[in-house]
Structure formats: C-alpha cells, structure tokens
Amino acid sequence: MTSSPRHDTAGQLSRRRFGRLAALAALAAGAGALALPARASATGTDAQAFYDHARGLAGNDPVLCALVAALTPGATFPLPPAPAPAKLFDNLAVLSTGWVSAMAVLTDDGIVLIDALASPADAENVIVPGLRALGADPAAIKYIVLTQGHYDHFGARNCSPTATGHGC
C-alpha cells in the first residue's frame, strides 16, 4: 500500500486549522469580556429588580417564564404526586417520590438499588414500603449504585441491613 505524497499546506487554511483559530478567537473574546467590570449584578438589595426585568423580558413564553420562576430566589416547585411502586419488568422495579425515582433490580442473590432518592426519610417512607409492596425484602439490598452526585440521588445511600435492621 502506498501513501499519497504530502503537499505543503503551510499557507492553506484547513478545516482543522480554521477550527483551532475559531476556538482561540472565542476564548480570547470571552477572556476580554471577563476582564471588563460587570455592569449588573443580581446580588444585594437591588437583586429583585433584575429578576423582575427578566420576568418582563420573558413575556408570555411559558418556557422562559418557568426559567425565571425557577431561578428567582425563594422559588418553590410543585411536586408531582408519587406513583405507586411498580415492576417495569420481571426483575426491575421503580420506587418514586414523584419528582425523583430509584430503581431496584431484584435478583435471587439480593437487591441492587440504583439511586437512593433524596433523604433517609425517603428510604423509610418510599423504598422500604415500596419494596415490601412488591413482595421484596428491603433487608436483601446488597448494593446501591449511585448514578450521580446530586443530593436527590444519594440521600438514602446508607441503606444496609446492618445499619437499620431492614435494609434502609
């Protein structure tokens, strides 16, 4: 197999070189913007004015209104009702508080819990009774797999038969 001869591309602007230059320009532009003093800050006593302005800019757009509402300090979020525990497949169950869920893989060798909801109270009020409602023993939890570091996924991470006597 022969390779094609290399051509001198020192004076040409390839796609790769153009991409690198564009990234460098964007980085330089961002660094320049960072060096400028901020014109507005959403801290202090006048912060509400910025949130009010953002709400005005959102107009009637439901997505933008939801974003403004979610980012405004003191915002409360409506929590959907929790569904009943359910088996999605023969050995896969879902346990939910309504806004966050845990999955339980039910095996003959024990239960693998995927995520652990938001708190130890969720373990007591959702995971334990949910597993029992599905005919599984919470004391059979062998492993807990946490998919991410957000609090609503690791709150009941200390579920273990030795810690509580029943798994969670």
Side-chain angles (χ1 to χ4, degrees), residues 88-110:
L88 300 177
F89 302 103
D90 291 341
N91 67 341
L92 181 64
V94 63
L95 310 161
S96 178
T97 63
W99 65 280
V100 67
S101 299
M103 305 296 274
V105 180
L106 311 170
T107 73
D108 292 337
D109 294 325

Side-chain angles (χ1 to χ4, degrees), residues 7-166:
H7 298 287
D8 183 20
T9 60
Q12 296 178 358
L13 186 61
S14 66
R15 280 189 281 177
R16 177 177 281 172
R17 183 175 282 166
F18 178 76
R20 288 179 181 165
L21 288 173
L24 185 59
L27 182 63
L34 291 176
L36 297 174
R39 290 181 39 210
S41 174
T43 60
T45 58
D46 64 344
Q48 188 60 46
F50 294 105
Y51 293 107
D52 293 341
H53 181 66
R55 186 173 308 282
L57 291 173
N60 293 326
D61 185 310
V63 173
L64 294 178
C65 288
L67 283 172
V68 171
L71 296 174
T72 300
T76 57
F77 302 97
L79 299 177
K87 281 191 176 178
L88 300 177
F89 302 103
D90 291 341
N91 67 341
L92 181 64
V94 63
L95 310 161
S96 178
T97 63
W99 65 280
V100 67
S101 299
M103 305 296 274
V105 180
L106 311 170
T107 73
D108 292 337
D109 294 325
I111 297 171
V112 177
L113 190 64
I114 302 172
D115 284 333
L117 303 180
S119 68
D122 285 345
E124 286 294 326
N125 300 324
V126 178
I127 295 173
V128 170
L131 287 172
R132 286 187 179 139
L134 297 172
D137 182 7
I141 294 174
K142 299 286 186 191
Y143 302 101
I144 299 175
V145 178
L146 303 176
T147 61
Q148 56 181 299
H150 294 157
Y151 80 95
D152 58 333
H153 293 264
F154 67 77
R157 67 196 170 280
N158 293 329
C159 287
S160 72
T162 55
T164 62
H166 56 65

